[in-house]
Amino acid sequence: MEVRPKRLAPRGTQDVLPPESAKGQYVEATFRRTCACYQYGEIRTPMFEETELFSRAAGETTDIVTKEMYTFTDRGGRSLTLRPEGTPSVVRAFIEHKLYGEPDAHKYYYVAPIFRYERPQAGRYRQHHQLGVECLGPAGPDADAEVIALACDFLGTLPLTGASLQISSLGCPECRPTYRERLQEFIRPRLAELCEYCQGRFEVNPLRILDDKNPRCQELTQGAPSPLDTLCGACREHHERLLALLAEAGIPYRENPRIVRGLDYYTRTVFEVIHGELGAQNTLVGGGRYDLLVEELGGPPTPAVGFGSGLERILLVLEAQGWSPPPPTPPVYVAVAQGAGDAGWLLAERLRRAGLAAQVDLLHRSLKAQMKEADRLGSRYVLIVGEQEVAAGEATLRDMQTGEQRPLPLEGAAELMAGLVGEKGQAES
Ligand code: HAM
C-alpha cells in the first residue's frame, strides 16, 4: 500500500538525504580548503537578525527588501528577519566586535543558509546555501583581484567546466550620478513602452531596469550607455588595475557593463560568474566592492569587497556535467550469527573507536542476508562472529576480494584490522 506523506517540506525548500548529501559536503570542503589557502577564517553569525539591518544594507527599494524577506515579530515584539544574504551580518559582527581596531585585511568566509521568498524554479529556492567571502579593510584593486581569484580557484578546483567571469564597475558617489542621468536620458523616450515594473524603477533606481528579464525591456535597453564610460579618474584607475592584475594572473574575464546586481550597496567593482547550463538562473557567483556599507551600518569608514556563490546552483552544474563525488571508503562489515550475543556489536564498536568505518546489522537478519549487504556496501573485509567463534575468543575474517578466510582473535582485532585496512585500503579492488 502506498503511504502518502501528510506533510511536505515547505515550497522552495528541499531535504538533502544521504548519499546525495555527500555532493554538497564535497563542494563545501573544496571551498573551505580554498579559503584556507587564501587565509580567510570562518565566521558564523545568527540565522536571523534585526530586520532593519537587512533593509538598510540591501536598500529599501530592492526586490530582496520589498518582496523577499522572511520577516516575523518575536515574542518580545522585535521585528526579525531570516538572513536573505550574508554580507550585512558579517558587517554587523565586524562593527559589534570592533574588529576594525587594527589596520588589517579582515578576511572572513561563511557557509550559510539564506532565505528569500522568491518564485521557486530550477536553481531558485526559498532556502539556498551560500559559500561566501568578505574582505574588509583594503581599498585597492588587489583585494578585488584576490576575492575574484579565490572564487575562480574554488570553481576551478571542482570538476566544473564552462563558467565565465564577467566584470564591470558601477563607479562611486562622485561619478554614479552622471551615469544615472545619462541612463535616464537614454530610457526616457522609451519609458512608455517598458513594463510597469521598469517604469516604477525609472526614478528610484534606473540601473535596475538593465537587469529586467522581460525580453521587450531587454530589447528596448539594447545600446544603453555603459557605466564604464562615465567613471571618474580614480574609479577608472581602480578598474584598469584590477583588469591588469587578472590578466597577469591568467584569469580570463569579460567586461559586461550590464551587470547591475540586485543589491544597492555596491561601489566600483561588480562581478558575476555565470554558467550556460543553468538557464534563467545562470549566476553561480555574484559579488563586488561595497566601500560605504560599514559606515552606513554605523562603523568607521571601511572599504570592503566580497562574493556569495550558490551551493545548489554549483551542484546543478556538476550534476548536469555527470559528476559524482569520490565514493566513501566501504566499511568493515561485522556479520553476526544467531547465538553470538553482543560480541558482534561490541566488535564493531571497537573497530570504530580505532578509527575504522564499521557496519553491523541492527535488524538481526540471517547471515546470508548480512553477507549480501556487505557485498552491496563494497566491503572488502567481513568479520563473521558466530557462537563457536565467540566461545573460542575469535572471529572469522573473510577477504571478499580473494574469498580467503582465517580466524582472528577478538582480543586486539580492532588494531589488527586498522593495520590491515591501512596497508591494503578498503577501497582497493
Ligand atoms: P546575490 O547575487 O544575491 O549576492 O547571491 C549570491 C549567489 O547566491 C547568486 O549568485 C546565486 O548563485 C545564489 N542565489 C541567490 N539567490 C538564490 C536562490 N533563490 N536560490 C538559489 N541560489 C541563489 C549576495 O547575496 C551578496 N551578499 C554577495 C556578496 C557578498 N557581495 C559582496 N559580498
Side-chain angles (χ1 to χ4, degrees), residues 233-270:
C235 287
R236 167 134 303 279
E237 201 189 318
H238 185 99
H239 186 62
E240 280 170 4
R241 273 291 298 141
L242 168 61
L243 299 188
L245 273 169
L246 294 177
E248 273 182 76
I251 298 172
Y253 63 84
R254 186 167 82 78
E255 269 189 303
N256 176 2
R258 288 185 74 99
I259 298 179
V260 287
R261 313 277 303 121
L263 299 146
D264 283 352
Y265 48 64
Y266 291 109
T267 48
R268 295 191 167 166
T269 308
V270 281

Short mmCIF file of all heavy atoms in Angstrom, two decimals, residues 233-270:
data_model
loop_
_atom_site.label_atom_id
_atom_site.label_comp_id
_atom_site.label_asym_id
_atom_site.label_seq_id
_atom_site.Cartn_x
_atom_site.Cartn_y
_atom_site.Cartn_z
N GLY A 233 38.19 59.54 -12.66
CA GLY A 233 39.58 59.11 -12.83
C GLY A 233 39.97 58.01 -11.84
O GLY A 233 40.56 56.99 -12.24
N ALA A 234 39.60 58.17 -10.57
CA ALA A 234 40.02 57.20 -9.55
C ALA A 234 39.35 55.85 -9.78
O ALA A 234 39.97 54.79 -9.64
CB ALA A 234 39.68 57.73 -8.16
N CYS A 235 38.06 55.87 -10.15
CA CYS A 235 37.34 54.61 -10.39
C CYS A 235 37.89 53.92 -11.64
O CYS A 235 38.01 52.69 -11.68
CB CYS A 235 35.85 54.86 -10.56
SG CYS A 235 35.04 55.25 -8.99
N ARG A 236 38.22 54.72 -12.64
CA ARG A 236 38.76 54.15 -13.88
C ARG A 236 40.10 53.47 -13.59
O ARG A 236 40.35 52.35 -14.01
CB ARG A 236 38.91 55.26 -14.94
CG ARG A 236 39.72 54.92 -16.15
CD ARG A 236 39.09 55.32 -17.46
NE ARG A 236 37.77 54.76 -17.63
CZ ARG A 236 37.51 53.51 -18.05
NH1 ARG A 236 38.50 52.69 -18.33
NH2 ARG A 236 36.29 53.08 -18.19
N GLU A 237 40.94 54.16 -12.81
CA GLU A 237 42.25 53.60 -12.50
C GLU A 237 42.09 52.29 -11.72
O GLU A 237 42.77 51.30 -12.01
CB GLU A 237 43.03 54.62 -11.67
CG GLU A 237 44.52 54.37 -11.72
CD GLU A 237 45.27 55.23 -10.74
OE1 GLU A 237 44.92 56.43 -10.62
OE2 GLU A 237 46.19 54.71 -10.09
N HIS A 238 41.17 52.29 -10.74
CA HIS A 238 40.91 51.09 -9.94
C HIS A 238 40.51 49.93 -10.86
O HIS A 238 41.04 48.82 -10.76
CB HIS A 238 39.78 51.40 -8.94
CG HIS A 238 39.50 50.29 -7.97
ND1 HIS A 238 40.00 50.28 -6.69
CD2 HIS A 238 38.78 49.16 -8.10
CE1 HIS A 238 39.59 49.18 -6.07
NE2 HIS A 238 38.85 48.48 -6.90
N HIS A 239 39.58 50.23 -11.76
CA HIS A 239 39.06 49.20 -12.65
C HIS A 239 40.17 48.66 -13.57
O HIS A 239 40.33 47.44 -13.72
CB HIS A 239 37.92 49.82 -13.48
CG HIS A 239 37.22 48.83 -14.35
ND1 HIS A 239 36.54 47.75 -13.84
CD2 HIS A 239 37.09 48.75 -15.71
CE1 HIS A 239 36.01 47.05 -14.83
NE2 HIS A 239 36.34 47.64 -15.98
N GLU A 240 40.96 49.56 -14.10
CA GLU A 240 42.01 49.12 -15.04
C GLU A 240 43.09 48.31 -14.34
O GLU A 240 43.60 47.32 -14.88
CB GLU A 240 42.59 50.31 -15.81
CG GLU A 240 41.64 50.67 -16.95
CD GLU A 240 41.95 51.97 -17.66
OE1 GLU A 240 42.97 52.61 -17.34
OE2 GLU A 240 41.14 52.35 -18.53
N ARG A 241 43.42 48.72 -13.12
CA ARG A 241 44.42 47.97 -12.33
C ARG A 241 43.90 46.55 -12.05
O ARG A 241 44.63 45.57 -12.13
CB ARG A 241 44.69 48.67 -10.99
CG ARG A 241 45.75 49.71 -11.00
CD ARG A 241 47.17 49.15 -11.20
NE ARG A 241 47.62 48.24 -10.15
CZ ARG A 241 48.34 47.14 -10.36
NH1 ARG A 241 48.69 46.79 -11.57
NH2 ARG A 241 48.72 46.37 -9.34
N LEU A 242 42.61 46.47 -11.73
CA LEU A 242 42.02 45.16 -11.45
C LEU A 242 42.11 44.26 -12.69
O LEU A 242 42.55 43.11 -12.60
CB LEU A 242 40.55 45.31 -11.00
CG LEU A 242 39.72 44.03 -10.96
CD1 LEU A 242 40.31 43.02 -9.97
CD2 LEU A 242 38.27 44.33 -10.58
N LEU A 243 41.72 44.81 -13.83
CA LEU A 243 41.76 44.01 -15.06
C LEU A 243 43.19 43.58 -15.38
O LEU A 243 43.43 42.44 -15.79
CB LEU A 243 41.16 44.79 -16.24
CG LEU A 243 39.68 45.21 -16.11
CD1 LEU A 243 39.18 45.80 -17.42
CD2 LEU A 243 38.79 44.05 -15.69
N ALA A 244 44.14 44.50 -15.13
CA ALA A 244 45.55 44.16 -15.41
C ALA A 244 46.02 43.03 -14.50
O ALA A 244 46.70 42.10 -14.94
CB ALA A 244 46.42 45.41 -15.22
N LEU A 245 45.62 43.09 -13.23
CA LEU A 245 46.02 42.03 -12.28
C LEU A 245 45.44 40.68 -12.70
O LEU A 245 46.13 39.65 -12.64
CB LEU A 245 45.51 42.37 -10.87
CG LEU A 245 46.42 43.25 -10.02
CD1 LEU A 245 45.70 43.73 -8.77
CD2 LEU A 245 47.68 42.47 -9.62
N LEU A 246 44.16 40.69 -13.10
CA LEU A 246 43.53 39.43 -13.52
C LEU A 246 44.25 38.87 -14.75
O LEU A 246 44.50 37.66 -14.83
CB LEU A 246 42.04 39.65 -13.82
CG LEU A 246 41.18 40.02 -12.61
CD1 LEU A 246 39.74 40.29 -13.03
CD2 LEU A 246 41.21 38.92 -11.54
N ALA A 247 44.59 39.77 -15.67
CA ALA A 247 45.28 39.32 -16.88
C ALA A 247 46.64 38.73 -16.50
O ALA A 247 47.01 37.65 -16.97
CB ALA A 247 45.43 40.48 -17.85
N GLU A 248 47.34 39.40 -15.59
CA GLU A 248 48.66 38.90 -15.16
C GLU A 248 48.55 37.54 -14.50
O GLU A 248 49.43 36.69 -14.63
CB GLU A 248 49.27 39.86 -14.13
CG GLU A 248 50.07 40.99 -14.72
CD GLU A 248 50.66 41.85 -13.62
OE1 GLU A 248 51.65 41.43 -13.00
OE2 GLU A 248 50.09 42.93 -13.34
N ALA A 249 47.44 37.34 -13.77
CA ALA A 249 47.25 36.06 -13.06
C ALA A 249 46.67 35.00 -13.98
O ALA A 249 46.42 33.86 -13.54
CB ALA A 249 46.33 36.28 -11.85
N GLY A 250 46.42 35.35 -15.22
CA GLY A 250 45.89 34.37 -16.18
C GLY A 250 44.44 34.00 -15.89
O GLY A 250 44.03 32.86 -16.16
N ILE A 251 43.68 34.93 -15.33
CA ILE A 251 42.26 34.66 -15.05
C ILE A 251 41.43 35.28 -16.17
O ILE A 251 41.36 36.51 -16.29
CB ILE A 251 41.85 35.25 -13.68
CG1 ILE A 251 42.67 34.56 -12.57
CG2 ILE A 251 40.35 35.09 -13.42
CD1 ILE A 251 42.51 35.17 -11.20
N PRO A 252 40.80 34.47 -17.01
CA PRO A 252 40.04 35.04 -18.13
C PRO A 252 38.77 35.73 -17.64
O PRO A 252 38.12 35.24 -16.70
CB PRO A 252 39.68 33.83 -19.00
CG PRO A 252 40.16 32.62 -18.28
CD PRO A 252 40.73 33.01 -16.97
N TYR A 253 38.43 36.86 -18.24
CA TYR A 253 37.23 37.59 -17.85
C TYR A 253 36.65 38.27 -19.07
O TYR A 253 37.31 38.39 -20.11
CB TYR A 253 37.55 38.66 -16.78
CG TYR A 253 38.49 39.72 -17.30
CD1 TYR A 253 38.00 40.82 -18.02
CD2 TYR A 253 39.86 39.60 -17.11
CE1 TYR A 253 38.87 41.77 -18.54
CE2 TYR A 253 40.73 40.55 -17.63
CZ TYR A 253 40.23 41.63 -18.34
OH TYR A 253 41.09 42.56 -18.87
N ARG A 254 35.41 38.72 -18.93
CA ARG A 254 34.80 39.52 -19.98
C ARG A 254 34.19 40.73 -19.30
O ARG A 254 33.54 40.59 -18.26
CB ARG A 254 33.71 38.69 -20.66
CG ARG A 254 33.11 39.37 -21.88
CD ARG A 254 32.26 38.37 -22.68
NE ARG A 254 30.92 38.19 -22.14
CZ ARG A 254 29.92 39.07 -22.32
NH1 ARG A 254 30.11 40.18 -22.99
NH2 ARG A 254 28.73 38.83 -21.81
N GLU A 255 34.42 41.92 -19.86
CA GLU A 255 33.76 43.10 -19.30
C GLU A 255 32.31 43.07 -19.74
O GLU A 255 32.03 42.88 -20.92
CB GLU A 255 34.43 44.37 -19.83
CG GLU A 255 35.55 44.86 -18.95
CD GLU A 255 36.01 46.24 -19.39
OE1 GLU A 255 36.39 46.39 -20.56
OE2 GLU A 255 35.98 47.15 -18.56
N ASN A 256 31.41 43.21 -18.80
CA ASN A 256 29.98 43.23 -19.14
C ASN A 256 29.33 44.41 -18.43
O ASN A 256 28.98 44.33 -17.25
CB ASN A 256 29.33 41.90 -18.71
CG ASN A 256 27.83 41.92 -18.96
OD1 ASN A 256 27.28 42.90 -19.48
ND2 ASN A 256 27.16 40.85 -18.58
N PRO A 257 29.17 45.53 -19.15
CA PRO A 257 28.65 46.75 -18.49
C PRO A 257 27.19 46.65 -18.08
O PRO A 257 26.67 47.57 -17.47
CB PRO A 257 28.84 47.83 -19.58
CG PRO A 257 28.97 47.09 -20.86
CD PRO A 257 29.50 45.74 -20.56
N ARG A 258 26.53 45.51 -18.37
CA ARG A 258 25.12 45.39 -17.97
C ARG A 258 24.95 44.74 -16.61
O ARG A 258 23.83 44.55 -16.13
CB ARG A 258 24.33 44.64 -19.03
CG ARG A 258 24.12 45.48 -20.29
CD ARG A 258 23.23 44.77 -21.27
NE ARG A 258 21.84 44.76 -20.86
CZ ARG A 258 20.92 45.60 -21.31
NH1 ARG A 258 21.24 46.53 -22.16
NH2 ARG A 258 19.67 45.50 -20.90
N ILE A 259 26.05 44.40 -15.94
CA ILE A 259 25.91 43.83 -14.59
C ILE A 259 25.47 44.95 -13.64
O ILE A 259 26.16 45.95 -13.52
CB ILE A 259 27.25 43.26 -14.06
CG1 ILE A 259 27.74 42.11 -14.95
CG2 ILE A 259 27.12 42.78 -12.62
CD1 ILE A 259 29.07 41.54 -14.48
N VAL A 260 24.32 44.77 -12.99
CA VAL A 260 23.92 45.80 -12.03
C VAL A 260 23.82 45.24 -10.61
O VAL A 260 23.95 45.95 -9.65
CB VAL A 260 22.60 46.50 -12.42
CG1 VAL A 260 22.83 47.43 -13.58
CG2 VAL A 260 21.52 45.51 -12.74
N ARG A 261 23.55 43.92 -10.49
CA ARG A 261 23.41 43.27 -9.18
C ARG A 261 22.09 43.71 -8.51
O ARG A 261 21.57 44.78 -8.79
CB ARG A 261 24.59 43.55 -8.25
CG ARG A 261 25.95 43.36 -8.88
CD ARG A 261 26.42 41.92 -8.88
NE ARG A 261 26.45 41.35 -7.57
CZ ARG A 261 25.76 40.26 -7.22
NH1 ARG A 261 24.99 39.65 -8.07
NH2 ARG A 261 25.85 39.79 -6.01
N GLY A 262 21.58 42.85 -7.64
CA GLY A 262 20.26 43.12 -7.05
C GLY A 262 20.31 43.83 -5.71
O GLY A 262 19.32 43.90 -5.00
N LEU A 263 21.50 44.32 -5.35
CA LEU A 263 21.66 44.96 -4.03
C LEU A 263 22.25 46.34 -4.25
O LEU A 263 23.08 46.53 -5.14
CB LEU A 263 22.62 44.12 -3.17
CG LEU A 263 22.14 42.69 -2.91
CD1 LEU A 263 23.30 41.71 -2.84
CD2 LEU A 263 21.33 42.64 -1.63
N ASP A 264 21.84 47.30 -3.42
CA ASP A 264 22.22 48.70 -3.69
C ASP A 264 23.59 49.12 -3.15
O ASP A 264 24.04 50.22 -3.40
CB ASP A 264 21.17 49.65 -3.08
CG ASP A 264 19.91 49.70 -3.94
OD1 ASP A 264 19.94 49.12 -5.05
OD2 ASP A 264 18.91 50.29 -3.49
N TYR A 265 24.23 48.25 -2.37
CA TYR A 265 25.42 48.75 -1.66
C TYR A 265 26.71 48.76 -2.47
O TYR A 265 27.75 49.21 -2.00
CB TYR A 265 25.66 48.00 -0.34
CG TYR A 265 25.61 46.48 -0.38
CD1 TYR A 265 26.52 45.73 -1.10
CD2 TYR A 265 24.66 45.80 0.37
CE1 TYR A 265 26.49 44.35 -1.10
CE2 TYR A 265 24.60 44.40 0.39
CZ TYR A 265 25.52 43.69 -0.34
OH TYR A 265 25.49 42.32 -0.34
N TYR A 266 26.67 48.26 -3.69
CA TYR A 266 27.93 48.14 -4.43
C TYR A 266 28.51 49.48 -4.89
O TYR A 266 27.76 50.39 -5.29
CB TYR A 266 27.75 47.22 -5.64
CG TYR A 266 27.53 45.79 -5.23
CD1 TYR A 266 26.28 45.19 -5.38
CD2 TYR A 266 28.55 45.05 -4.66
CE1 TYR A 266 26.07 43.88 -4.98
CE2 TYR A 266 28.35 43.73 -4.25
CZ TYR A 266 27.12 43.16 -4.42
OH TYR A 266 26.90 41.86 -4.02
N THR A 267 29.82 49.58 -4.82
CA THR A 267 30.56 50.72 -5.37
C THR A 267 31.69 50.12 -6.20
O THR A 267 32.22 49.07 -5.85
CB THR A 267 31.20 51.56 -4.24
OG1 THR A 267 31.87 50.67 -3.34
CG2 THR A 267 30.16 52.36 -3.48
N ARG A 268 32.04 50.79 -7.25
CA ARG A 268 33.12 50.31 -8.13
C ARG A 268 32.87 48.87 -8.63
O ARG A 268 31.84 48.61 -9.20
CB ARG A 268 34.49 50.42 -7.43
CG ARG A 268 34.85 51.88 -7.18
CD ARG A 268 36.28 52.07 -6.74
NE ARG A 268 36.63 53.48 -6.82
CZ ARG A 268 37.69 54.02 -6.27
NH1 ARG A 268 38.55 53.28 -5.60
NH2 ARG A 268 37.93 55.31 -6.42
N THR A 269 33.81 47.96 -8.32
CA THR A 269 33.77 46.63 -8.94
C THR A 269 32.49 45.83 -8.65
O THR A 269 32.08 45.72 -7.49
CB THR A 269 34.96 45.81 -8.39
OG1 THR A 269 36.15 46.58 -8.57
CG2 THR A 269 35.09 44.47 -9.10
N VAL A 270 31.89 45.29 -9.70
CA VAL A 270 30.87 44.25 -9.54
C VAL A 270 31.26 43.11 -10.48
O VAL A 270 31.82 43.35 -11.55
CB VAL A 270 29.44 44.74 -9.88
CG1 VAL A 270 28.85 45.55 -8.75
CG2 VAL A 270 29.39 45.53 -11.19
#
